[in-house]
Amino acid sequence: MSFTLLLLSKQITAALVYTVPIPILAGKTEAFGSEPGSAFKVKMVSGILGPAMAVGAPLAGWLSSRYDRRGLLGIFALLAAVSGVAPVFLDSLDGIIATRFLLGLAAAALMTIGYTMPGDYLPEARRAGIFGLLSATSMVASVVSLPLSGWLGDSGWRLSFLIYMVPLFVAILALPQRLPPPLAVAGEGRKLARGWYRGIPWGMVALAFAIGIVLSIPGVYLSFHLAGIGASQASTIGLVMTFATVVSAISSIAYGTTVSALGQRVVFVATFAAMAAGLFGLSVAGNLVVAIATLMLAGVGMGWLGPNLMGRLSERVPDAGRGRIVGIVQCAMTIAPMFGIALLEPLLPAIGTSGALAAVAILSAVCACLFCLSPKEAVAK
């Protein structure tokens, strides 16, 4: 039970990284309005997280292949708590941005190590269920933390950062004496230190990159697209996105049972196909009702992609190199949205948000076809 709580609490921490600042950005802009470049710097409070997580994921993967993952999880949890709460006491945007970089690095490390540890402690039959539960926890935490941060922010934007005390719970649960030694010994990966690039499953890294685009890019353009087809109120857009998140969370909870019955290959085909159909339908939707229906279909796919990728890694990567590979895969997922946006933004005046969503739908369809044509895999037992 304590191990499950540990994994769930680190997942909550990772979800909070992006959501907590969103409701208080306006308040921070007003508070630091006299500081040169404040408008840009306030946006960088969230913008710095991408590069930080791209550093933190492979760093944690390398470390977790050499040292006890229990201790590493505790160290990064403490770093997340200290750096997360630090803006409560800081009066400089530059200082806040620096602490946010450390928070992003620590959060990526927690995710990487946390996704590695089910392979250390759990039998293969239980891993799919825990990966689905982790994904659902992340989504629920995102939904709950937004109004909580806004409520605290009404009394002053600094108070919202007190939410980042959550990682202290991770640090307590991660104390080595609270967990038995893992079945897989991380130190066995030390022999790979000089050849970190050896044995990297580049096909899986490419898959993670594609999943990073498919999962992230629709959210970037969704609010603009919904506004263009009749959702004029921000509250309406927020409600629609909340419904989609709930659907994704429910599908994540059902992931373990689904993959046990169908196997990872079939789940990938179904997931990418659902994303392709849902996003294409959303791109051509002429009214809000159709948009909601197609977004719910895409939401089912969103709930399965992440858990299925991590389950695949857990099964196919040797114990000694799992932390290193998970770190590289997490890095690919983290940097993918930046490349996707950089590719689509110059085209946006010509294709609009409908074209951007359709482009992601085409990528999803291509991935579905590739898995459909790949050799059949055994169904998980």
Coordinates of all heavy atoms in Angstrom, one line a residue, residues 3 6 59-76 109-110 113-114 116-117 120-121 173-190 320 323:
F3 N 3.8 1.6 -1.1 CA 4.5 1.8 -2.4 C 3.5 2.4 -3.4 O 3.9 3.3 -4.2 CB 4.9 0.4 -2.9 CG 5.6 0.5 -4.3 CD1 6.8 1.1 -4.5 CD2 5.0 -0.1 -5.4 CE1 7.4 1.2 -5.7 CE2 5.6 -0.1 -6.6 CZ 6.7 0.6 -6.8
L6 N 3.1 6.0 -2.7 CA 4.3 6.7 -3.1 C 4.3 7.1 -4.6 O 4.5 8.2 -5.0 CB 5.6 5.8 -2.9 CG 6.9 6.3 -3.4 CD1 7.3 7.7 -2.8 CD2 8.0 5.3 -3.2
L59 N 18.7 12.9 -16.9 CA 19.6 12.9 -15.7 C 19.1 11.9 -14.7 O 19.9 11.1 -14.1 CB 19.6 14.3 -15.1 CG 20.4 14.5 -13.7 CD1 21.8 14.2 -13.9 CD2 20.2 15.9 -13.2
A60 N 17.8 11.9 -14.4 CA 17.3 11.0 -13.4 C 17.4 9.5 -13.9 O 17.6 8.6 -13.2 CB 15.8 11.3 -13.1
G61 N 17.2 9.4 -15.2 CA 17.3 8.0 -15.8 C 18.7 7.5 -15.6 O 19.0 6.3 -15.3
W62 N 19.7 8.3 -15.9 CA 21.1 7.9 -15.7 C 21.4 7.6 -14.2 O 22.0 6.6 -13.9 CB 22.1 9.1 -16.2 CG 23.5 8.7 -16.0 CD1 24.3 7.9 -16.8 CD2 24.4 9.3 -15.1 NE1 25.6 7.9 -16.4 CE2 25.7 8.7 -15.3 CE3 24.2 10.2 -14.0 CZ2 26.8 9.0 -14.5 CZ3 25.3 10.5 -13.2 CH2 26.6 9.9 -13.5
L63 N 21.0 8.5 -13.3 CA 21.2 8.3 -11.9 C 20.5 7.0 -11.4 O 21.1 6.3 -10.6 CB 20.8 9.5 -11.1 CG 21.6 10.8 -11.3 CD1 20.9 11.9 -10.6 CD2 23.0 10.6 -10.7
S64 N 19.3 6.8 -11.9 CA 18.5 5.7 -11.4 C 19.0 4.3 -11.8 O 18.6 3.3 -11.3 CB 17.0 5.8 -11.7 OG 16.8 5.7 -13.1
S65 N 19.9 4.3 -12.9 CA 20.5 3.1 -13.3 C 21.8 2.8 -12.5 O 22.4 1.8 -12.7 CB 20.8 3.2 -14.8 OG 19.6 3.1 -15.6
R66 N 22.2 3.7 -11.7 CA 23.4 3.6 -10.9 C 23.2 3.5 -9.4 O 24.0 2.9 -8.7 CB 24.4 4.8 -11.2 CG 24.8 4.8 -12.7 CD 25.6 6.1 -13.0 NE 26.8 6.3 -12.1 CZ 28.0 5.8 -12.4 NH1 28.1 5.0 -13.4 NH2 29.0 6.0 -11.6
Y67 N 22.1 4.2 -8.9 CA 22.0 4.3 -7.5 C 20.6 3.8 -7.0 O 19.7 3.7 -7.9 CB 22.2 5.7 -7.0 CG 23.5 6.3 -7.4 CD1 23.7 7.2 -8.5 CD2 24.7 5.9 -6.8 CE1 24.9 7.7 -8.9 CE2 26.0 6.3 -7.2 CZ 26.0 7.3 -8.2 OH 27.3 7.7 -8.6
D68 N 20.4 3.7 -5.7 CA 19.1 3.2 -5.2 C 18.0 4.2 -5.5 O 18.1 5.4 -5.1 CB 19.3 3.1 -3.6 CG 18.1 2.4 -3.0 OD1 17.0 2.5 -3.6 OD2 18.3 1.9 -1.9
R69 N 17.0 3.7 -6.2 CA 16.0 4.6 -6.6 C 15.1 5.2 -5.5 O 14.5 6.3 -5.6 CB 15.1 3.9 -7.7 CG 15.8 3.7 -9.0 CD 15.2 2.6 -9.8 NE 16.0 2.3 -11.0 CZ 16.0 1.2 -11.7 NH1 15.2 0.2 -11.3 NH2 16.8 1.0 -12.7
R70 N 15.1 4.5 -4.4 CA 14.3 5.0 -3.3 C 14.9 6.3 -2.7 O 14.2 7.3 -2.5 CB 14.3 3.9 -2.1 CG 13.6 2.6 -2.6 CD 13.9 1.5 -1.5 NE 15.3 1.2 -1.4 CZ 15.8 0.4 -0.5 NH1 15.0 -0.3 0.3 NH2 17.1 0.1 -0.4
G71 N 16.2 6.3 -2.5 CA 16.9 7.5 -2.0 C 16.8 8.6 -3.0 O 16.6 9.8 -2.6
L72 N 16.9 8.3 -4.3 CA 16.9 9.4 -5.4 C 15.5 10.0 -5.4 O 15.3 11.2 -5.5 CB 17.2 8.8 -6.7 CG 18.6 8.4 -7.0 CD1 18.7 7.7 -8.3 CD2 19.5 9.6 -7.0
L73 N 14.4 9.2 -5.2 CA 13.1 9.7 -5.2 C 12.9 10.7 -4.1 O 12.3 11.8 -4.2 CB 12.1 8.6 -5.1 CG 10.7 8.8 -5.7 CD1 10.8 9.1 -7.2 CD2 9.8 7.6 -5.4
G74 N 13.4 10.3 -2.9 CA 13.3 11.2 -1.7 C 14.1 12.5 -2.0 O 13.6 13.6 -1.6
I75 N 15.3 12.5 -2.5 CA 16.1 13.7 -2.8 C 15.4 14.6 -3.7 O 15.3 15.8 -3.5 CB 17.5 13.3 -3.3 CG1 18.3 12.6 -2.2 CG2 18.2 14.5 -3.8 CD1 19.6 12.0 -2.7
F76 N 14.9 14.1 -4.9 CA 14.2 14.9 -5.8 C 12.9 15.5 -5.3 O 12.5 16.6 -5.7 CB 14.0 14.2 -7.1 CG 15.3 14.1 -8.0 CD1 15.9 12.9 -8.2 CD2 15.8 15.2 -8.6 CE1 17.0 12.8 -9.0 CE2 17.0 15.2 -9.3 CZ 17.6 14.0 -9.6
A109 N 12.3 14.3 -12.9 CA 13.1 13.2 -12.3 C 12.1 12.3 -11.5 O 12.2 11.0 -11.5 CB 14.1 13.8 -11.3
L110 N 11.1 12.8 -10.8 CA 10.2 12.0 -10.1 C 9.4 11.2 -11.0 O 9.1 10.0 -10.7 CB 9.2 13.0 -9.3 CG 9.8 13.7 -8.1 CD1 8.8 14.6 -7.5 CD2 10.3 12.7 -7.0
I113 N 11.8 8.3 -12.4 CA 12.1 7.3 -11.4 C 10.9 6.5 -11.0 O 10.9 5.3 -10.9 CB 12.8 7.9 -10.2 CG1 14.1 8.6 -10.6 CG2 13.0 6.8 -9.1 CD1 14.7 9.4 -9.5
G114 N 9.7 7.3 -10.9 CA 8.5 6.6 -10.5 C 8.0 5.6 -11.6 O 7.4 4.6 -11.2
T116 N 9.9 4.0 -13.5 CA 10.9 2.9 -13.5 C 10.6 1.9 -12.4 O 10.8 0.7 -12.5 CB 12.3 3.4 -13.3 OG1 12.6 4.3 -14.4 CG2 13.3 2.3 -13.4
M117 N 10.1 2.4 -11.2 CA 10.0 1.5 -10.0 C 9.0 0.4 -10.0 O 9.2 -0.6 -9.4 CB 9.8 2.4 -8.8 CG 11.0 3.3 -8.5 SD 10.8 4.3 -7.0 CE 10.9 3.1 -5.7
D120 N 10.7 -2.6 -10.6 CA 11.5 -3.0 -9.5 C 10.7 -3.8 -8.4 O 11.3 -4.8 -7.8 CB 12.1 -1.8 -8.7 CG 13.1 -1.0 -9.6 OD1 13.5 -1.6 -10.6 OD2 13.4 0.1 -9.3
Y121 N 9.5 -3.5 -8.2 CA 8.7 -4.0 -7.1 C 7.5 -4.9 -7.5 O 7.1 -5.6 -6.6 CB 8.2 -2.8 -6.2 CG 9.3 -2.2 -5.4 CD1 10.0 -1.1 -5.9 CD2 9.7 -2.6 -4.2 CE1 11.0 -0.4 -5.2 CE2 10.7 -2.0 -3.4 CZ 11.3 -0.9 -4.0 OH 12.3 -0.3 -3.2
L173 N 7.5 9.0 2.2 CA 7.2 7.7 1.8 C 8.4 7.0 1.1 O 8.5 5.8 1.0 CB 6.0 7.7 0.8 CG 4.6 8.0 1.4 CD1 3.6 8.2 0.3 CD2 4.2 6.9 2.4
A174 N 9.3 7.8 0.6 CA 10.4 7.3 -0.2 C 11.6 6.9 0.7 O 12.6 6.4 0.2 CB 10.9 8.3 -1.2
L175 N 11.5 7.2 2.0 CA 12.6 6.9 2.9 C 13.0 5.4 2.8 O 12.1 4.5 2.8 CB 12.3 7.2 4.4 CG 12.1 8.7 4.7 CD1 11.7 8.9 6.1 CD2 13.4 9.4 4.5
P176 N 14.2 5.0 2.6 CA 14.6 3.6 2.3 C 14.1 2.6 3.3 O 13.7 1.5 3.0 CB 16.2 3.7 2.3 CG 16.5 5.1 1.9 CD 15.4 5.9 2.5
Q177 N 14.0 3.0 4.6 CA 13.6 2.1 5.6 C 12.1 1.8 5.5 O 11.6 0.8 6.1 CB 13.9 2.6 7.0 CG 13.2 3.9 7.4 CD 14.1 5.1 7.2 OE1 14.9 5.0 6.2 NE2 14.0 6.1 8.0
R178 N 11.3 2.6 4.7 CA 9.9 2.3 4.5 C 9.6 1.4 3.4 O 8.5 0.9 3.2 CB 9.1 3.6 4.3 CG 9.2 4.6 5.5 CD 8.4 5.8 5.3 NE 6.9 5.5 5.1 CZ 6.1 5.4 6.1 NH1 6.5 5.7 7.4 NH2 4.8 5.1 5.9
L179 N 10.6 1.1 2.6 CA 10.5 0.3 1.4 C 11.5 -0.8 1.5 O 12.7 -0.6 1.8 CB 10.6 1.0 0.1 CG 9.4 1.9 -0.3 CD1 9.8 2.7 -1.6 CD2 8.2 1.1 -0.6
P180 N 11.2 -2.1 1.1 CA 12.2 -3.1 1.0 C 13.1 -2.9 -0.1 O 12.8 -2.1 -1.0 CB 11.3 -4.4 0.9 CG 10.1 -3.9 0.1 CD 9.8 -2.5 0.7
P181 N 14.2 -3.6 -0.2 CA 15.1 -3.5 -1.4 C 14.4 -3.9 -2.6 O 13.6 -4.9 -2.6 CB 16.3 -4.5 -1.0 CG 16.2 -4.6 0.5 CD 14.8 -4.5 0.9
P182 N 14.6 -3.3 -3.7 CA 13.9 -3.6 -4.9 C 14.3 -5.0 -5.5 O 15.4 -5.4 -5.2 CB 14.3 -2.5 -5.9 CG 15.6 -2.0 -5.4 CD 15.5 -2.1 -3.9
L183 N 13.4 -5.6 -6.3 CA 13.8 -6.9 -6.9 C 14.9 -6.7 -7.9 O 15.7 -7.5 -8.1 CB 12.5 -7.4 -7.6 CG 11.3 -7.8 -6.6 CD1 10.1 -8.2 -7.4 CD2 11.7 -8.8 -5.6
A184 N 14.8 -5.5 -8.6 CA 15.8 -5.2 -9.6 C 16.8 -4.2 -9.0 O 16.4 -3.2 -8.5 CB 15.2 -4.6 -10.9
V185 N 18.0 -4.5 -9.1 CA 19.1 -3.7 -8.4 C 19.5 -2.6 -9.4 O 20.1 -2.9 -10.5 CB 20.3 -4.5 -8.0 CG1 21.3 -3.7 -7.3 CG2 19.8 -5.6 -7.0
A186 N 19.3 -1.4 -9.1 CA 19.7 -0.3 -10.0 C 21.2 -0.2 -10.3 O 21.6 0.1 -11.3 CB 19.2 1.1 -9.4
G187 N 22.0 -0.6 -9.3 CA 23.4 -0.5 -9.4 C 24.0 -1.3 -10.5 O 25.1 -1.1 -11.0
E188 N 23.2 -2.3 -11.0 CA 23.7 -3.2 -12.1 C 23.9 -2.4 -13.4 O 24.6 -2.8 -14.3 CB 22.7 -4.3 -12.3 CG 22.6 -5.3 -11.2 CD 21.6 -6.4 -11.4 OE1 20.9 -6.3 -12.5 OE2 21.4 -7.2 -10.6
G189 N 23.3 -1.2 -13.5 CA 23.4 -0.4 -14.7 C 24.7 0.4 -14.7 O 24.9 1.1 -15.7
R190 N 25.6 0.3 -13.7 CA 26.8 1.1 -13.7 C 27.7 0.7 -14.9 O 28.4 1.6 -15.4 CB 27.5 0.9 -12.4 CG 26.8 1.5 -11.2 CD 27.5 1.3 -10.0 NE 26.7 1.8 -8.8 CZ 27.1 1.7 -7.6 NH1 28.2 1.1 -7.2 NH2 26.3 2.2 -6.6
A320 N 18.4 -3.6 -15.6 CA 19.6 -2.8 -15.4 C 19.6 -1.5 -16.2 O 20.1 -0.5 -15.7 CB 20.9 -3.5 -15.7
G323 N 16.0 2.4 -16.1 CA 15.9 3.8 -15.6 C 16.5 4.8 -16.7 O 15.9 5.8 -17.0

